[in-house]
Amino acid sequence: MTNRIFSFAFCVAALSTVLLAAGCQDVSTELAPPTYKTGIPDTELRFTPFKKEFPREYASYMKNNEDTVMTEYKGSVPFHKNDGVNPLPKGFKHAQPYLKNLWLGYPFMYEYNETRGHTHAIDDFLHIDRINRFSSDGKGNMPATCWNCKTPRMMEWIREYGDDFWAKDVNEFRGKDKINAMEESISCATCHDPATMELRLYSEPLRDWLKRSGQDWKTIPRNTKRTLVCAQCHVEYYFAHKDNAPDKKPIFPWDKGFGPEEIYQYYKEHGPKGADGKSGPFTDWVHAASKVNMIKMQHPDFETFQDGPHGAAGVACADCHMQYVRDDGKKVSSHWLTSPLKDPEMRACRQCHADKTPEFLRERVLYTQKRTYQQLLAAQEMSVKAHEAVRLANAHTGDRAPNYDALMEEARDMVRKGQIFWDYVSAENSFGFHNPAKSLHTLGKSAEFSQRAVDLATQATMFAIAPALARDIKETVPPILELSRAKQQDARFLEQHPWTKLLPVLPPNKQTWDGQAFTPPSAPSM
Amino acid sequence: MGTSRNGPQLKWLAGGIAAGMVLLGVMAWAMTVTDARPFCSSCHIMQEAAVTHKTGTHARLACNECHAPHNLLAKLPFKAQEGLRDVVGNLTGKDIPRPLSMRTRDVVNANCMACHAQTNINVASMDAKPYCVDCHRSVAHMRTKPMSTRMVAHD
């Protein structure tokens, strides 16, 4: 009998021990991410060496190969962003028809497509018409800086060449002997220290900016890092003029702030230095129709987002684009960086908005995107009209206003400013959702500046060009649907449009680069 | 009666009462332990809930002050059922359902009112919104705070 009592007591004790063991340890609020010692050397740049140790992250990264699904405004089919005429995969219903006009004289008039996943970054880079593939000497006529956000190989190239790297020709690093297009695309080493897998920066321009703004990566909180690894690349940038920094070095123009007005003010300087030693305005290119000194905006996703409703509240890029997923019982960050709207369940959003249905959330996104898209097209039309007004006023030989030069100087500045403003929204990848109020305000201001340019140019000609501008701009300056480096070799093709005829005819060259393969032109027999 | 004062029956009775008291004590203690955060968070999937609980205003209350009925007759079967479902769910790799089941939401809401009745005695605060946390949203595990303040990956 005592045995039974003993065994009962023993059972109770055992049960209590199990309960205690299972439940005596309170949770830690430190939220330390898992640590790793991979044995992978920290110079590793390819992604397959990571596959064995991180099969879950690797598998979700490979989902970036998907390039067939479109959402309402975005998606992964690399259609031509100006083409609203042809069906997918060439064009798309929500295109921006005036892009080639607005970028006339700049490589963006040749080709500019919707983006695909990170796995395609180098592949798309090697097939874009913006880089010259027709020169007999193989030069791309762009700086090697163009590689900066395409490959972690950058770390090695900068170690080897230092600041001399940037101004080299982009095609010097194009061949199969220079880069492995599959293995060295944007991947693990871009954001992770291969030895410990801790988040790290590879980006020279972002490191420079952290230094300029007195920040130290080591003391930056994990939450901020979950945004900054993306801000290595999803930002507006420019290539330094050699008067101010190493030639063609990439710089993020953030010293006055992140908004379009601050960036516009920033670019009033940082151009070539004048006789007085001061930097004049920076210029990306001279518009081929209006001859205005233009600035190009490039994907200011971070700048747009950081003071939006989500960014200002401390929500990170990774919160929505790298949601935690349960895979085989383990919780990992999804490494499929794509449109969160592709998920019918909108699970990334509902980690926070648990009380909302996916349909409701999707409708709220579209509410902003629809309005932003419509205002964007209106601002772009007004911008085309502003270029046309300045072009007509430039050519106007009749009576001119006494202060013609002053009026035209201001008109040109308003064309430049109006375009910086709409491009800030157009180049950004969320169609307003990352920051609805700023996007719509920026487009409103853009149209205002462009309209001001029209007014000033009209006034400078004593209103002589007013009748020409009164017509629908789509009739006087139709959207340019097709334009490429090959087509620009054809004088008759260029004659077909009032603005393409303003472009020089390119010499008749055959394509020398096909992806990574270079075929020198045969002996000049023709 | 023919039995002595120190007879075996009395021993048995005393022993039985003692054993019953021990058993009751152990059960009461076990019920308390399994109401609380350290036990609940022993499954990793509960990490987010536990961390946001511990850093929240209700940190010193047990999980089941909100997540189970206070009435013992309702609580015992509720805990058994929910516990079983969670064990099975965890073993089969299921995620926490979002939003939570209607049943859990109703239980939690009843417990809001159980503690905070006096605050709301003169207002029709249950008329406009079905749940207290529809306004007091951060009470629902601070779910609008950035992810990094709530969870990390599981190694």
Side-chain angles (χ1 to χ4, degrees):
Chain A
M1 198 50 65
T2 42
N3 269 357
R4 263 205 214 168
I5 292 171
F6 272 133
S7 59
F8 176 73
F10 178 77
C11 283
V12 170
L15 184 67
S16 319
T17 316
V18 169
L19 279 176
L20 275 170
C24 70
Q25 183 103 26
D26 198 359
V27 71
S28 163
T29 54
E30 261 178 52
L31 287 174
T35 52
Y36 301 95
K37 266 211 156 84
T38 61
I40 301 172
D42 63 1
T43 49
E44 184 56 73
L45 304 173
R46 298 162 302 162
F47 65 76
T48 41
F50 294 84
K51 180 178 180 180
K52 203 166 151 231
E53 277 184 77
F54 304 99
R56 294 178 181 84
E57 289 85 353
Y58 178 87
S60 75
Y61 168 74
M62 291 309 280
K63 286 187 184 171
N64 289 297
N65 282 326
E66 179 275 307
D67 63 350
T68 53
V69 179
M70 290 302 290
T71 64
E72 185 65 16
Y73 288 92
K74 300 291 292 182
S76 303
V77 181
F79 74 94
H80 299 319
K81 286 231 232 190
N82 71 308
D83 188 341
V85 176
N86 292 300
L88 283 169
K90 209 173 166 211
F92 187 54
K93 56 181 176 176
H94 290 134
Q96 302 164 51
Y98 268 129
L99 291 179
K100 285 184 190 288
N101 302 62
L102 289 160
W103 293 327
L104 203 72
Y106 201 50
F108 274 85
M109 72 177 170
Y110 297 128
E111 190 175 5
Y112 173 57
N113 305 330
E114 181 61 290
T115 55
R116 295 196 287 176
H118 285 155
T119 45
H120 299 288
I122 294 182
D123 196 32
D124 287 343
F125 183 77
L126 294 171
H127 289 94
I128 199 82
D129 197 33
R130 291 206 290 277
I131 299 170
N132 195 351
R133 294 165 298 165
F134 293 83
S135 55
S136 47
D137 59 0
K139 286 199 169 169
N141 307 120
M142 298 260 197
T145 321
C146 295
W147 287 102
N148 187 52
C149 273
K150 305 294 176 217
T151 170
R153 216 359 146 61
M154 283 302 301
M155 288 178 281
E156 219 171 86
W157 287 334
I158 292 301
R159 248 196 312 274
E160 188 174 347
Y161 300 103
D163 280 336
D164 292 340
F165 171 79
W166 313 109
K168 290 176 181 294
D169 189 81
V170 61
N171 284 352
E172 270 188 51
F173 303 90
R174 184 175 186 127
K176 278 206 160 70
D177 53 326
K178 299 288 186 186
I179 190 153
N180 185 334
M182 277 307 298
E183 280 281 333
E184 292 177 336
S185 190
I186 301 159
S187 59
C188 317
T190 308
C191 304
H192 292 283
D193 179 335
T196 64
M197 298 314 278
E198 280 172 24
L199 290 182
R200 73 140 174 221
L201 297 187
Y202 87 101
S203 162
E204 292 289 321
L206 188 60
R207 279 197 220 145
D208 287 347
W209 180 70
L210 291 180
K211 209 183 278 175
R212 288 209 303 282
S213 56
Q215 300 179 71
D216 180 3
W217 183 253
K218 287 196 195 80
T219 59
I220 287 174
R222 172 169 158 251
N223 195 52
T224 312
K225 287 179 178 172
R226 284 164 56 86
T227 289
L228 286 183
V229 287
C230 309
Q232 298 187 97
C233 293
H234 288 256
V235 295
E236 153 63 6
Y237 63 88
Y238 73 105
F239 300 159
H241 189 274
K242 60 180 186 310
D243 288 357
N244 306 307
D247 196 20
K248 301 290 182 275
K249 188 176 188 188
I251 299 178
F252 300 162
W254 297 344
D255 299 38
K256 289 177 191 286
F258 296 111
E261 177 68 35
E262 290 85 5
I263 290 177
Y264 160 77
Q265 294 293 346
Y266 178 96
Y267 283 129
K268 283 188 169 175
E269 297 156 19
H270 304 281
K273 282 183 174 159
D276 57 355
K278 273 190 186 163
S279 278
F282 186 82
T283 299
D284 275 315
W285 90 105
V286 177
H287 193 276
S290 64
K291 308 297 178 200
V292 174
N293 295 330
M294 302 303 293
I295 294 291
K296 179 79 188 75
M297 289 289 116
Q298 281 102 181
H299 39 71
D301 298 339
F302 168 73
E303 296 93 323
T304 298
F305 161 82
Q306 49 79 36
D307 59 351
H310 286 96
V315 176
C317 302
D319 287 8
C320 309
H321 290 282
M322 302 185 74
Q323 79 263 32
Y324 284 112
V325 288
R326 291 252 292 175
D327 183 358
D328 201 14
K330 298 273 187 187
K331 188 174 63 184
V332 295
S333 288
S334 165
H335 281 62
W336 185 17
L337 282 299
T338 188
S339 167
L341 268 68
K342 282 183 186 168
D343 178 7
E345 293 299 316
M346 303 279 279
R347 271 167 291 208
C349 314
R350 289 163 68 212
Q351 296 177 112
C352 295
H353 303 286
D355 55 335
K356 302 295 191 298
T357 63
E359 296 73 28
F360 176 86
L361 293 164
R362 179 170 284 104
E363 281 309 312
R364 293 310 301 168
V365 175
L366 295 178
Y367 183 90
T368 293
Q369 292 189 325
K370 180 182 169 187
R371 284 156 180 78
T372 305
Y373 176 69
Q374 289 175 357
Q375 288 310 111
L376 175 62
L377 293 198
Q380 287 174 338
E381 279 179 33
M382 187 54 77
S383 189
V384 171
K385 195 170 173 179
H387 280 287
E388 178 68 356
V390 169
R391 184 183 78 84
L392 292 171
N394 285 340
H396 179 67
T397 48
D399 283 347
R400 289 178 165 188
N403 54 345
Y404 173 90
D405 289 335
L407 289 170
M408 287 304 288
E409 193 185 329
E410 202 188 334
R412 289 187 191 100
D413 189 48
M414 286 294 110
V415 171
R416 170 179 157 113
K417 191 172 185 183
Q419 179 142 344
I420 287 177
F421 272 57
W422 69 251
D423 208 357
Y424 185 93
V425 178
S426 166
E428 205 269 337
N429 283 301
S430 71
F431 271 115
F433 178 72
H434 287 156
N435 194 337
K438 180 153 87 174
S439 300
L440 287 170
H441 177 255
T442 301
L443 291 174
K445 295 304 277 184
S446 169
E448 181 187 324
F449 299 137
S450 298
Q451 177 64 58
R452 180 93 184 116
V454 172
D455 293 347
L456 289 161
T458 311
Q459 205 183 328
T461 63
M462 310 282 275
F463 302 94
I465 62 170
L469 291 168
R471 287 170 58 206
D472 185 354
I473 192 67
K474 284 194 186 118
E475 288 171 28
T476 44
V477 185
I480 302 169
L481 181 62
E482 304 274 356
L483 185 57
S484 64
R485 285 186 191 267
K487 286 197 159 73
Q488 204 186 334
Q489 298 178 13
D490 179 354
R492 278 191 310 188
F493 174 84
L494 294 182
E495 278 302 315
Q496 291 168 11
H497 188 282
W499 276 18
T500 54
K501 73 167 80 156
L502 304 168
L503 294 170
V505 182
L506 293 178
N509 282 333
K510 285 224 166 91
Q511 193 170 333
T512 46
W513 279 103
D514 181 14
Q516 292 188 277
F518 182 67
T519 318
S522 47
S525 55
M526 288 177 284
Chain B
M1 286 195 268
T3 47
S4 82
R5 276 166 169 262
N6 306 328
Q9 280 174 344
L10 193 61
K11 264 192 192 168
W12 275 110
L13 186 65
I17 288 171
M21 283 170 68
V22 168
L23 186 63
L24 201 65
V26 167
M27 279 173 14
W29 173 77
M31 276 296 279
T32 312
V33 166
T34 55
D35 275 346
R37 182 175 61 231
F39 177 77
C40 297
S41 65
S42 60
C43 286
H44 184 87
I45 193 172
M46 285 294 158
Q47 183 194 45
E48 180 190 5
V51 166
T52 52
H53 176 230
K54 195 175 178 181
T55 51
T57 48
H58 290 90
R60 293 166 84 173
L61 299 177
C63 301
N64 277 348
E65 293 289 339
C66 297
H67 282 274
H70 291 178
N71 181 321
L72 194 62
L73 284 178
K75 180 174 186 167
L76 288 170
F78 183 90
K79 271 186 77 167
Q81 206 179 339
E82 291 288 304
L84 194 64
R85 200 203 52 184
D86 285 353
V87 166
V88 171
N90 208 22
L91 290 177
T92 54
K94 282 213 181 74
D95 220 329
I96 300 174
R98 290 174 194 275
L100 298 174
S101 73
M102 296 305 280
R103 182 178 169 211
T104 291
R105 285 199 271 176
D106 289 340
V107 166
V108 170
N109 206 58
N111 289 334
C112 297
M113 294 188 279
C115 296
H116 298 284
Q118 285 304 314
T119 311
N120 292 283
I121 201 159
N122 288 322
V123 286
S125 41
M126 287 325 297
D127 284 9
K129 307 267 186 176
Y131 299 102
C132 300
V133 295
D134 289 341
C135 292
H136 300 273
R137 297 199 298 172
S138 65
V139 174
H141 293 283
M142 304 183 185
R143 60 163 188 251
T144 55
K145 286 185 72 185
M147 294 309 298
S148 72
T149 63
R150 294 189 270 147
M151 56 166 80
V152 285
H154 184 202
D155 178 22

